[in-house]
Amino acid sequence: MFYYLKGTLVVVDQSFAVIDCGGVGYKLSVSATTLSKIAGNIGQVTTLYTYLSVREDAVELMGFYSNEELSAFKMLISVSGVGPKAAMAILSIMTPERFAFTVSSGDSKALAKANGVGGKTAARIILELKDKVAKEISAVDTETGETFAPIPQTGVVTEAISALMVLGYSRSEAERALSGLNLNDTLEHVITAALKKMGTRF
C-alpha cells in the first residue's frame, strides 16, 4: 500500500515518529535504531520506508530509516513466533548490518538480549534465516568492522569447531575465528591459528 512516506518530521517519541505529508500526520512505529537516525530531523523533510501491519486487533504503520532495516524486519516476522513487536525489539538493539552478522555467525545470545525474545526464539531465527539473511543485507560487525563469510563445513572445520567449543568458546566464536583461515591445513595448525586470532596465549 505504502512504499515510503516523505514529508516533514514533526514528532519523535520513544517508539514512534510522525511525518506530515500534505497536511496529514502519519504516525509510524519505529525502532530505537531508526529514532537515533532521525532524532535531529525535527522540522526537516524526512523519508521513512514503510510496512503496514494488519492484525485482528490492530492496524499499525511501521517506519524504517533504510530499505535494509525494512528487509530485516520482513525476514524476522517471517519466522514462526516472531511478531512485529519482537522484530522491532531486535532492530532496536542492533543495526540491520549487525543483525545480519549476528544471524550469519549464529550468535543467539545477542538476539536473546532483545526485549521479549527468548533463547528458543533466537535459536529459531538463526535456524530459519542463517542461509538467506546475508543475501539481502551486508553481514558486517558494526563494532569491529569485520565482515562475516560463511565457512565450508568440512571435516577439519567440524573437528576444529568441536575442539574450540571444548576449550570453552561458543560455536559462533569458533566459526568467527575460523573464518578467513586456511582450512586446507592440518587440524592442529587450523586450531592454533584460530586460537592466535582470538588472542589466546600459549
Side-chain angles (χ1 to χ4, degrees):
M1 185 175 182
F2 300 108
Y3 184 72
Y4 66 82
L5 289 177
K6 182 177 182 180
T8 303
L9 182 66
V10 293
V11 175
V12 172
D13 207 326
Q14 292 184 345
S15 61
F16 69 88
V18 177
I19 291 183
D20 184 324
C21 298
V24 179
Y26 291 88
K27 179 182 177 182
L28 303 100
S29 295
V30 296
S31 68
T33 301
T34 287
L35 282 177
S36 70
K37 299 286 186 181
I38 66 174
N41 292 1
I42 294 291
Q44 300 179 22
V45 174
T46 301
T47 299
L48 288 179
Y49 296 91
T50 60
Y51 179 89
L52 184 62
S53 174
V54 180
R55 304 192 303 275
E56 290 183 1
D57 58 342
V59 176
E60 189 175 10
L61 192 60
M62 328 292 284
F64 307 90
Y65 77 95
S66 69
N67 257 322
E68 287 75 19
E69 189 184 36
L70 175 57
S71 293
F73 175 82
K74 288 180 177 179
M75 280 190 280
L76 278 165
I77 62 174
S78 73
V79 177
S80 175
V82 179
K85 286 187 177 180
M88 280 298 201
I90 290 173
L91 294 175
S92 287
I93 65 170
M94 59 183 69
T95 63
E97 293 78 17
R98 176 68 184 177
F99 163 71
F101 183 90
T102 299
V103 173
S104 297
S105 59
D107 191 354
S108 60
K109 291 182 180 179
L111 290 174
K113 291 179 181 179
N115 187 33
V117 179
K120 290 184 178 179
T121 300
R124 190 182 307 118
I125 289 171
I126 290 173
L127 178 65
E128 295 189 24
L129 299 183
K130 190 170 186 179
D131 293 334
K132 65 175 71 172
V133 66
K135 295 178 181 179
E136 296 192 33
I137 306 170
S138 175
V140 178
D141 186 338
T142 51
E143 295 178 3
T144 65
E146 180 182 0
T147 299
F148 181 84
I151 57 177
Q153 297 298 309
T154 63
V156 169
V157 170
T158 301
E159 291 183 54
I161 289 175
S162 297
L164 292 170
M165 291 177 69
V166 168
L167 293 174
Y169 296 99
S170 67
R171 173 173 288 276
S172 62
E173 289 173 331
E175 290 185 347
R176 191 178 307 179
L178 293 172
S179 179
L181 299 182
N182 177 14
L183 301 178
N184 293 319
D185 211 334
T186 64
L187 176 61
E188 181 181 354
H189 286 168
V190 169
I191 293 174
T192 299
L195 290 171
K196 286 183 177 179
K197 186 176 178 180
M198 290 188 286
T200 301
R201 295 185 178 182
F202 299 92

